[in-house]
């Protein structure tokens, strides 16, 4: 006789016995296991499955990009920026990576009891100033307060709506062999700046966050007729993680030229001191571009002529299709594979 | 000689010496002081200044409603619901209050290190199930993790985009003297259910949250040709706060008939035990309507014929314009003024 179905107890899966760790928020392998193992199957939506910086959806004749991020950066004020600037810039850059003009933004605040009103005012002023600077309207908001010890000063959630300006939209599916990979500027400054503020580290020269809104730079390239096949802003997990994700989604090899990757000497020095690889350190004002090879020079000129792209560079090319991997060729000709970090390199960097 | 400008130190204003208290998140007077004293002047946007449940913005020929809320309910699982259900229902109801069909939603999670993976799975399943039930797509997401002791299990931020179905849109500016005030069901259950779970209170009958998505109910009234002049979902601060806000925005008197306000006996009993006024206790599945007097009976019939409106009622009327106040007439004929609470009645109820 078969057993009574109600008497069957499913074994608890290993995954369900687990708890959340800091690594699940790091943007690397553990974050991906959450996304692929839980969120995508549950929400089952093509806009999510496309894994772009924003969800793209059609509404009438318009194609919208819709993005959300929560910001838990610690500390909320750091060299070169604050959590309010990050929230606006992160929203703008996620939309810009979808070639979408930023239109509307919402702001949710989770405040801890005892957070100074003067600090809140500074964050709100940053939000207002930075949004106005890119012509994005803040049209919805919410504020919650949690008891002392149940939060950490201030968390900000931000969502944005943009209008996609090109058809076909940019995305990894449009990448072709031979395409050039460009970055809009030197990498790793944001993560190092936050870490330095957090730990009270003093370097010879203060390293400031690169946080900046990149829509104007992206628009300049679109206006110049550059075909932006794919874009991604390298935040959590840095340029390495963003490029691995692109390679996996496009199922292609990406070949990077290590000496071409722009890293400021003081950032390089700080990373060596801290045991970090700048390729994995978050930027908040940089964009990665995949561009047809014939347009690489024009694109680089366009990037460098913009105030936010002075240190832009061509850093690699798309190799053969069929194998998803990122290869880094060093100045002495050796090659190493760049992979996702499995855990967390720098918690609470954004 | 005038003083050196750099030597002038501005006196710190009283407001800036203050810190955030739980009351600033309570939806009452302190929340309003933040909104009116800081957010509205800084963000200076007509969509915010309209003070509706969602910001309404035009995009091409479409009028969108855009809403955001963060959910910090404690505990995240309570009698009749969980934080995932709340996030979806709250989003749907804010859009429904603007007569907007819910289309797209984003979800941001702030998880505390150590939060059980099985609990996360339950929340994600709730989000997915409840969004699918109303045909709203989840198209963007984000996950952050904070260290143990820097959060409280799980916070959820949710934003939603809806398409406004009527023109002119509903709003307090459309209210006229003599209009009927209706509520879609008995009030106060959500707040009491959360509090009972939190404090481990056992009542004779378990009181379950009223959390529910009200778009289908609102659509039924629109389809029936009811003119929905103004709607508001009475969450934080309850029906009292929502009605005071309506009265202030419309600059009118609202006259409530106390015996007509539906409160379940066990909710009434629990409120008496706990020293709460059900009129100030949050609902998460109720809507307040302002409707032309000639349509009040038809609207009530429409509400009561919907599964989520069985206990709906006409609870009052709009009196003279020019004075913003809410008056409650008791069963013995006495009248009292209903005002905003200055502080926090029930922290972390949503």
């Amino acid at each position: 006789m078969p057993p009574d179905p109600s008497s069957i107890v499913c074994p608890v899966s290993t995954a369900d016995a687990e708890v959340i760790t800091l690594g699940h928020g790091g943007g690397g392998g553990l974050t991906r296991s959450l996304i692929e193992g839980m969120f995508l199957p549950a929400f089952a939506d093509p806009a999510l499955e496309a894994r772009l910086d924003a969800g793209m959806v059609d509404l009438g004749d318009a194609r919208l990009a819709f993005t959300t991020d929560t910001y838990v950066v610690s500390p909320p004020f750091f060299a070169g920026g604050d959590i309010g600037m990050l929230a606006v810039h992160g929203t703008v850059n996620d939309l810009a990576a979808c070639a979408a003009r930023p239109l509307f933004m919402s702001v949710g605040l989770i405040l801890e009891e005892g957070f100074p009103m003067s600090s809140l005012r500074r964050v709100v002023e940053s939000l207002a100033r930075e949004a106005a600077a890119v012509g994005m309207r803040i049209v919805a908001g919410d504020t919650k307060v949690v008891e002392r010890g149940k939060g950490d000063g201030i968390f900000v959630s931000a969502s944005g709506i943009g209008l996609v300006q090109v058809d076909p939209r940019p995305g990894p599916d449009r990448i072709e062999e031979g395409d050039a990979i460009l970055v809009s500027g030197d990498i790793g400054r944001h993560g190092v700046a936050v870490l330095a503020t957090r730990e009270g580290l003093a370097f010879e020269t203060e390293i400031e966050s690169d946080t900046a809104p990149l829509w104007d730079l992206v628009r300049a390239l679109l206006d110049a007729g550059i075909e932006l096949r794919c874009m991604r802003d390298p935040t959590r997990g840095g340029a390495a993680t963003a490029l691995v994700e692109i390679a996996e989604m496009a199922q292609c090899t990406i070949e990077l030229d290590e000496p071409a990757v722009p890293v400021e000497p003081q950032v390089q020095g700080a990373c060596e001191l801290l045991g970090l690889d700048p390729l994995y350190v978050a930027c908040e004002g940089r964009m990665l571009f995949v561009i047809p090879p014939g347009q690489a020079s024009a694109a680089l000129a366009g990037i460098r002529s913009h105030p936010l792209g002075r240190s832009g560079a061509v850093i690699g090319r798309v190799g053969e299709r069929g194998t998803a991997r990122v290869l880094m060729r060093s100045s002495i000709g050796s090659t190493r594979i760049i992979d996702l970090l499995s855990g967390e390199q720098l918690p609470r960097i954004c």
Side-chain angles (χ1 to χ4, degrees), chain A:
Chain A
M1 207 175 80
D4 172 8
S6 68
S7 72
I8 300 174
V9 176
C10 288
V12 173
S13 84
T14 315
D16 277 357
E18 287 171 3
V19 298
I20 291 292
T21 64
L22 285 175
H24 285 105
L30 284 174
T31 303
R32 193 162 68 171
S33 73
L34 267 189
I35 292 173
E36 293 180 354
M38 193 183 297
F39 302 152
L40 293 185
F43 300 144
D45 194 281
L48 277 179
E49 284 154 8
R51 306 286 291 276
L52 303 171
D53 290 83
M56 292 206 214
V57 294
D58 291 322
L59 188 69
D61 295 334
R63 173 163 284 178
L64 301 185
F66 185 25
T67 182
T68 197
D69 271 299
T70 53
Y71 296 86
V72 298
V73 61
S74 169
F77 301 93
F78 48 83
D82 61 52
I83 194 169
M85 291 169 70
L86 273 194
V88 173
H89 299 164
T91 301
V92 169
N93 295 349
D94 280 348
L95 296 174
C98 296
R101 182 161 63 94
L103 296 178
F104 309 114
M105 179 176 172
S106 69
V107 174
L109 302 174
I110 299 177
L111 305 174
E112 184 189 10
E113 192 185 6
F115 188 66
M117 197 65 84
S118 55
S119 300
L120 177 61
R121 189 179 299 275
R122 283 173 65 194
V123 172
V124 167
E125 283 168 355
S126 282
L127 287 162
R129 184 186 61 242
E130 297 299 313
V134 295
M136 182 169 64
R137 294 170 54 189
I138 297 178
V139 300
D142 182 51
T143 305
K144 294 289 186 337
V145 180
V146 296
E147 305 88 335
R148 216 178 279 266
K150 300 293 185 184
D152 194 16
I154 182 168
F155 300 146
V156 178
S157 71
S159 298
I161 301 175
L163 197 58
V164 180
Q165 302 289 304
V166 294
D167 186 20
R169 57 139 183 79
D173 48 321
R174 294 190 48 215
I175 291 176
E176 295 182 14
E177 185 170 340
D179 282 354
I181 316 272
L182 288 81
V183 66
S184 68
D186 63 287
I187 62 169
R189 271 207 266 144
H190 174 71
V192 171
V194 172
L195 197 65
T197 307
R198 186 191 301 169
E199 307 296 344
L201 305 175
F203 299 112
E204 215 162 309
T205 322
E206 186 177 58
I207 296 170
E208 293 204 334
S209 168
D210 50 44
T211 187
L214 297 174
W215 168 242
D216 191 64
L217 170 60
V218 169
R219 180 173 52 188
L221 296 177
L222 291 172
D223 287 349
I226 306 293
E227 187 186 341
L228 302 173
R229 287 197 170 144
C230 183
M231 288 179 271
R232 203 158 188 99
D233 72 321
T235 57
R236 275 184 294 180
T241 304
L243 290 166
V244 169
E245 288 172 353
I246 290 174
E248 291 187 344
M249 287 188 282
Q251 283 295 303
C252 69
T253 296
I254 288 178
E255 299 161 359
L256 297 179
D257 178 23
E258 189 157 29
V261 178
V263 184
E264 286 287 295
Q266 68 266 38
V267 171
Q268 185 72 55
C271 281
E272 280 166 17
L273 210 69
L274 298 165
L276 299 174
D277 181 343
L279 209 62
Y280 288 89
V281 177
C283 313
E284 291 288 343
R286 299 293 179 245
M287 191 68 80
L288 291 163
F289 299 97
V290 184
I291 284 172
Q295 289 194 315
S297 313
L300 183 61
I303 291 169
R304 286 194 172 163
S305 70
H306 193 279
L308 295 174
R310 297 250 181 270
S311 54
V314 178
I315 61 170
R317 63 184 287 281
V318 175
E320 57 176 11
R321 308 296 299 261
T323 309
R325 57 181 180 172
V326 178
L327 302 177
M328 173 75 97
R329 190 175 303 270
S330 76
S331 56
I332 56 165
S334 65
T335 297
R336 62 188 167 101
I337 291 179
I338 303 293
D339 209 344
L340 288 187
L341 291 186
S342 64
E344 174 67 289
Q345 185 178 240
L346 286 177
R348 300 189 55 192
I349 219 69
C350 60

